[in-house]
């Protein structure tokens, strides 16, 4: 009786949730165990616990033919776990069933046909997917882009009167011309790379690959000569390293414009990146795994999987994927070390994290500026300011690029300031502002430092007003200008800024403390104590600050 009741409850749940159970389905066809496993799979699926969901879905395969949403969830879970081939096989087995007529099923069949160079089959599946009723605008853009690519692969020419999807179309046409070895390929790459609205520096890598394929290696070397390691992307740093070491074949090993699978793989990576930028990590990983299915050679795209998993708190999975990056690819291996160090910081503490990255750094012969810079940042974030200054100085002394030097002076100056060496701090920060007088963050840092020292208050307020005009939505700058008005006893104006800073950064102890001080001055003492108490509950509250706030909670602000 108990089993029957459980079966009935789960049946009602599934019917209510989807209203798609087959009319012929009975309790005999769906037993309690299958239902229970499926129900557990749905719960895990909705909680983003995909590996657990997949195990439950595997245990309830009997539902494949009789419950439409089951196939969708099962296929989605398989792809998220990187089991794309298995997902394709299941779609094929269910191809005659109505429940296989959904977007992802047909997309998988298109990619499978492409990988097997069966372009006619891919076209047929594309036509089926076009007739689906549930397409959203994003899926429609994917379908149309795939149609344009397939036309190029099959007809060896770019489609006329095609739909335009803005920058997505520009990227696609650049790769399509590259595939066709069109004379305008370089022009298209140049337009893409030099776009003033969006940073398309990633595509420098593919332009380099195109030039190398075309035998224009000297031209490729000219391009990387203008790239500074310290501010280059991970992919470009690796490309520059390969070219400097005459490791030309590495480009050909991972990507070719002449390979249609490589092109669609990069297109899917772009889609994945768009989802990731919207914090939709599930769909991002879905398309990343499809991208990897078509071009498993391009392991560097896995860095986005790592970022998604890291931001999602899936550290075990992230560490597993990081193992794909080997020492032979110097910059991706260093990326692995940095990310492992950050995971250690979150799971253990900053001390062990710093110990790990310092140990790995010591093993590198002749580290370049980028790696030294990264290590300096780790020391600074761990409050080992003296060591950070040492490494920042090494990079500063070797640089000619003023823009990069400005940022390094800001970081070194901030390290001096934290150590109380204010003359050196001011010198670095003022030097940074000479290079870039409109850097809002340097203006804010120097001005706030002066406020804390009760030094040049009027000049500091002017600097903060300039910083606020440049970055009016930055919570740190809003806090600083509010505190400046507090120090000149304009409490009403100070409250307006600090209230906004607290709304933007509710978990920052300093902002809560500042707001409490201002409220006290406005005779809102109960509220003041609330925000002081709130500051004590935040993470990373320094010992000195704890003592001051505890005293204020008992005595209030003196001289008020």
């Amino acid at each position: 009786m108990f089993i029957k009741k459980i079966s009935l409850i789960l049946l009602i749940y599934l019917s209510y949730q989807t209203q798609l159970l087959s009319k012929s389905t009975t309790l005999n066809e769906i037993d309690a165990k299958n239902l229970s496993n499926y129900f557990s799979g749905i719960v895990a699926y909705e909680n983003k616990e995909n590996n657990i969901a997949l195990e439950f879905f595997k245990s309830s395969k009997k539902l494949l033919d009789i419950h439409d949403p089951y196939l969708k969830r099962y296929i989605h879970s398989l792809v998220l776990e990187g089991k794309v081939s298995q997902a394709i096989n299941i779609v094929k087995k269910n191809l005659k069933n109505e429940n296989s007529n959904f977007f992802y099923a047909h997309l998988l069949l298109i990619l499978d046909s492409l990988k097997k160079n069966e372009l006619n089959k891919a076209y047929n599946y594309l036509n089926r997917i076009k007739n689906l009723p549930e397409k959203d605008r994003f899926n429609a853009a994917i379908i149309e882009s795939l149609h344009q690519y397939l036309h190029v692969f099959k007809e060896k020419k770019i489609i006329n009167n095609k739909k335009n999807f803005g920058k997505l179309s520009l990227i696609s046409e650049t790769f399509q011309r590259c595939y066709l070895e069109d004379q305008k390929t370089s022009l298209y790459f140049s337009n893409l790379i030099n776009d003033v609205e969006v940073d398309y520096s990633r595509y420098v890598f593919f332009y380099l690959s195109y030039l190398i394929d075309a035998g224009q290696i000297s031209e490729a070397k000219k391009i990387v000569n203008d790239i500074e390691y310290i501010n280059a992307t991970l992919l470009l740093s690796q490309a520059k390293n390969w070219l400097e070491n005459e490791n030309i074949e590495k480009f050909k090993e991972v990507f070719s414009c002449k390979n249609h699978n490589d092109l669609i793989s990069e297109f899917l990576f772009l889609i994945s990146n768009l989802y990731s930028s919207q914090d939709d990590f599930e769909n991002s990983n879905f398309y990343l795994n499809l991208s990897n299915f078509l071009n498993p050679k391009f392991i560097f795209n896995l860095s986005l999987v790592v970022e998604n998993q890291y931001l999602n708190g899936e550290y075990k999975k992230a560490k597993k994927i990081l193992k794909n990056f080997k020492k032979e690819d110097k910059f991706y291996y260093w990326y692995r070390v940095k990310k492992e160090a950050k995971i250690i910081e979150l799971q253990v503490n900053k001390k062990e994290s710093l110990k790990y990255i310092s140990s790995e750094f010591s093993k590198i012969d002749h580290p370049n500026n980028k790696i030294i810079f990264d290590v300096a940042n780790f020391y600074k974030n761990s409050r080992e300011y003296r060591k950070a200054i040492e490494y920042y100085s090494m990079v500063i002394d070797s640089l000619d690029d003023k823009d990069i030097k400005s940022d390094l002076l800001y970081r070194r100056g901030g390290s001096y300031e934290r150590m109380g060496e204010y003359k050196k701090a001011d010198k670095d920060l003022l030097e940074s502002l000479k290079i870039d007088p409109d850097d809002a963050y340097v203006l804010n840092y120097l001005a706030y430092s002066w406020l804390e020292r009760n030094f040049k208050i009027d000049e500091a307020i002017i600097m903060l007003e300039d910083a606020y005009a440049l970055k009016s939505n930055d919570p740190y700058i809003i806090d600083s200008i509010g505190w400046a008005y507090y120090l000149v006893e304009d409490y009403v104006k100070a409250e307006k800024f600090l209230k906004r800073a607290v709304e933007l950064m509710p978990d920052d102890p300093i902002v809560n403390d500042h707001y409490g001080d201002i409220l006290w001055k406005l005779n809102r003492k109960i509220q003041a104590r609330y925000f002081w108490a709130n500051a004590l509950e935040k993470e990373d509250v320094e010992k000195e600050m704890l003592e001051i706030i505890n005293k204020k909670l008992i005595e209030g602000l003196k001289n008020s």
Side-chain angles (χ1 to χ4, degrees):
M1 180 61 72
F2 176 75
I3 295 297
K4 285 185 179 180
K5 283 183 179 178
I6 292 295
S7 299
L8 183 60
I9 291 167
L10 291 173
L11 257 178
I12 291 168
Y13 169 79
L14 294 174
S15 299
Y16 172 76
Q17 185 197 34
T18 67
Q19 299 180 1
L20 291 170
L21 276 172
S22 168
K23 289 181 181 178
S24 63
T25 301
T26 68
L27 285 175
N28 291 327
E29 290 174 298
I30 306 179
D31 58 37
K33 186 176 180 182
N34 274 310
L35 279 170
S36 179
N37 285 332
Y38 181 45
F39 179 78
S40 299
I42 290 171
V43 172
Y45 182 85
E46 295 298 331
N47 288 333
K48 314 295 184 188
E49 296 171 328
N50 189 66
N51 56 335
I52 298 172
L54 189 54
E55 291 305 312
F56 280 119
F57 288 151
K58 282 179 185 176
S59 303
S60 52
K61 282 187 180 179
K62 194 170 183 180
L63 291 165
L64 268 174
D65 299 328
I66 54 179
H67 186 54
D68 292 353
Y70 173 83
L71 182 62
K72 284 185 182 181
R73 290 191 176 104
Y74 189 30
I75 293 303
H76 205 257
S77 293
L78 283 168
V79 174
L80 284 173
E81 288 300 304
K83 299 178 180 180
V84 180
S85 295
Q86 190 177 337
I88 290 168
N89 288 335
I90 289 170
V91 170
K92 285 180 176 178
K93 286 177 184 177
N94 288 269
L95 201 53
K96 293 180 181 179
N97 298 335
E98 186 63 28
N99 66 347
S100 66
N101 194 30
F102 58 94
F103 178 80
Y104 291 132
H106 291 301
L107 178 61
L108 285 168
L109 294 172
I110 292 168
L111 300 183
D112 180 55
S113 301
L114 273 171
K115 187 157 188 174
K116 293 174 179 175
N117 204 28
E118 297 173 342
L119 298 183
N120 288 330
K121 268 192 179 182
Y123 250 117
N124 289 336
Y125 290 129
L126 185 68
N127 288 330
R128 290 188 196 179
I129 207 172
K130 281 182 176 180
N131 296 323
L132 291 176
E134 82 272 15
K135 298 190 300 291
D136 58 29
R137 286 186 178 182
F138 205 45
N139 285 349
I142 292 170
I143 293 165
E144 180 57 32
S145 297
L146 286 173
H147 174 239
Q148 293 172 15
Y149 272 108
L150 277 169
H151 182 87
V152 169
F153 300 153
K154 192 177 178 188
E155 305 299 332
K156 307 303 178 190
K157 60 182 179 181
I158 291 171
I159 198 168
N160 291 323
N161 302 317
K162 60 191 177 197
K163 290 183 181 177
N164 192 310
F165 298 105
K167 301 298 183 183
L168 180 64
S169 292
L170 174 61
I171 294 167
S172 293
E173 185 164 346
T174 301
F175 279 112
Q176 288 161 18
R177 289 183 180 275
C178 188
Y179 175 81
L180 296 170
E181 300 181 70
D182 184 88
Q183 290 182 348
K184 292 183 178 179
T185 300
S186 287
L187 176 63
Y188 269 76
F189 267 119
S190 179
N191 290 339
L192 186 61
I193 292 162
N194 295 309
D195 191 288
V196 294
E197 295 175 3
V198 184
D199 178 13
Y200 287 124
S201 57
R202 172 180 174 85
Y203 298 102
V204 174
F205 177 89
F206 300 105
Y207 185 36
L208 293 171
S209 175
Y210 162 75
L211 291 171
I212 289 165
D213 261 353
Q216 300 180 46
I217 295 170
S218 59
E219 185 64 29
K221 286 183 177 179
K222 283 181 188 176
I223 292 170
V224 298
N225 284 342
D226 293 331
I227 295 171
E228 283 280 0
Y229 278 119
I230 199 164
N231 64 349
T233 64
L234 187 56
L235 187 59
L236 283 186
S237 293
Q238 190 60 67
K240 180 178 171 72
N241 183 253
W242 285 342
L243 275 163
E244 286 181 344
N245 290 284
E246 303 293 333
N247 206 348
I248 308 300
E249 289 303 311
K250 288 293 289 189
F251 287 90
K252 297 177 182 179
E253 286 174 16
V254 298
F255 182 86
S256 172
C257 272
K258 298 171 187 175
N259 186 323
H260 63 251
N261 287 327
D262 291 359
L263 295 189
I264 299 300
S265 171
E266 177 56 26
F267 169 73
L268 293 169
F269 176 81
L270 173 61
I271 301 301
S272 171
N273 222 343
L274 290 172
Y275 274 117
S276 182
S277 68
Q278 298 168 16
D279 293 336
D280 187 346
F281 302 127
E282 186 174 293
N283 272 318
S284 177
N285 287 338
F286 183 88
Y287 280 97
L288 263 172
N289 285 335
L290 294 182
S291 173
N292 189 52
F293 167 73
L294 283 182
N295 184 10
K297 309 180 300 293
F298 206 90
I299 61 167
F300 311 118
N301 284 346
L302 294 175
S303 60
L304 182 56
V305 180
V306 171
E307 291 302 323
N308 289 346
Q309 290 171 340
Y310 177 80
L311 292 170
N312 228 16
E314 298 175 294
Y315 305 128
K316 187 176 180 180
K317 285 184 177 181
K319 286 194 285 187
K320 184 178 178 181
I321 290 178
L322 283 167
K323 286 182 169 48
N324 286 283
F325 303 132
K326 309 298 183 186
K327 286 185 177 180
E328 64 195 63
D329 298 315
K330 182 176 181 178
F331 283 89
Y332 275 89
Y333 184 75
W334 178 244
Y335 165 79
R336 168 183 166 178
V337 169
K338 287 193 296 177
K339 193 58 69 176
E340 286 170 341
K342 287 181 179 179
I343 292 171
I344 291 169
E345 179 182 333
L346 291 169
Q347 292 185 322
V348 188
N349 56 46
K350 283 186 177 182
K351 184 178 179 182
E352 288 302 312
S353 170
L354 187 60
K355 183 179 176 182
Y356 173 72
I357 200 166
S358 299
S359 172
E360 291 297 318
F361 175 70
S362 67
K363 298 172 187 175
I364 300 172
D365 293 327
H366 311 296
N368 65 26
N369 281 342
K370 171 63 176 171
I371 294 173
I372 297 169
F373 173 71
D374 288 338
V375 169
N377 289 335
F378 263 89
Y379 275 107
K380 186 172 186 285
N381 292 336
S382 298
R383 299 177 183 173
E384 296 280 347
Y385 300 115
R386 182 64 65 195
K387 200 73 177 173
I389 289 165
E390 177 188 331
Y391 287 119
Y392 284 135
S393 299
M394 287 171 65
V395 181
I396 289 167
D397 293 343
S398 67
L399 277 180
D400 294 322
D401 190 307
K402 286 188 174 181
D403 290 335
I404 301 172
K405 206 166 192 175
S406 171
D407 179 61
L408 283 155
L409 287 165
Y410 166 46
R411 291 170 186 269
R412 189 176 71 176
S415 300
Y416 278 127
E417 191 271 339
R418 298 310 296 161
M419 292 175 63
E421 297 186 21
Y422 300 123
K423 285 186 178 180
K424 290 180 179 179
D426 289 358
K427 182 182 176 184
D428 273 357
L429 294 169
L430 288 167
E431 186 66 29
S432 176
L433 286 172
K434 277 185 185 177
I435 298 168
D436 184 2
D438 291 328
D439 190 317
Y441 299 110
V442 182
L443 284 166
N444 176 62
Y445 197 99
L446 179 58
Y448 187 80
S449 173
W450 285 355
L451 292 176
E452 283 194 320
R453 289 182 261 156
N454 199 25
F455 178 68
K456 296 185 178 180
I457 299 295
D458 292 338
E459 193 173 334
I461 290 174
I462 293 168
M463 289 166 67
L464 286 170
E465 286 172 343
D466 290 342
Y468 182 72
L470 292 162
K471 297 280 184 182
S472 60
N473 290 317
D474 186 278
Y476 293 101
I477 292 172
I478 294 167
D479 170 66
S480 296
I481 196 165
W483 193 241
Y485 286 124
Y486 170 86
L487 291 175
V488 295
E489 300 182 7
D490 189 342
Y491 304 127
V492 173
K493 193 177 278 189
E495 195 274 340
K496 183 183 79 169
F497 283 102
L498 261 298
K499 182 181 179 182
R500 188 160 168 239
V502 166
E503 288 169 352
L504 292 170
M505 278 197 307
D507 294 325
D508 188 280
I510 295 173
V511 172
N512 278 271
D513 180 40
H514 283 172
Y515 194 42
D517 287 4
I518 289 165
L519 291 170
W520 184 274
K521 291 290 187 180
L522 292 170
N523 206 30
R524 291 157 62 181
K525 295 181 178 179
I526 294 174
Q527 289 173 280
R529 283 197 165 93
Y530 169 82
F531 282 97
W532 286 334
N534 202 34
L536 293 177
E537 295 174 5
K538 308 304 178 187
E539 294 181 8
D540 294 330
V541 184
E542 295 182 359
K543 186 179 177 182
E544 184 182 353
M545 187 177 178
L546 282 170
E547 292 171 356
I548 292 169
I549 293 174
N550 276 317
K551 192 172 182 181
K552 285 192 287 191
L553 282 167
I554 297 167
E555 302 175 3
L557 281 175
K558 291 188 176 180
N559 304 318
S560 305

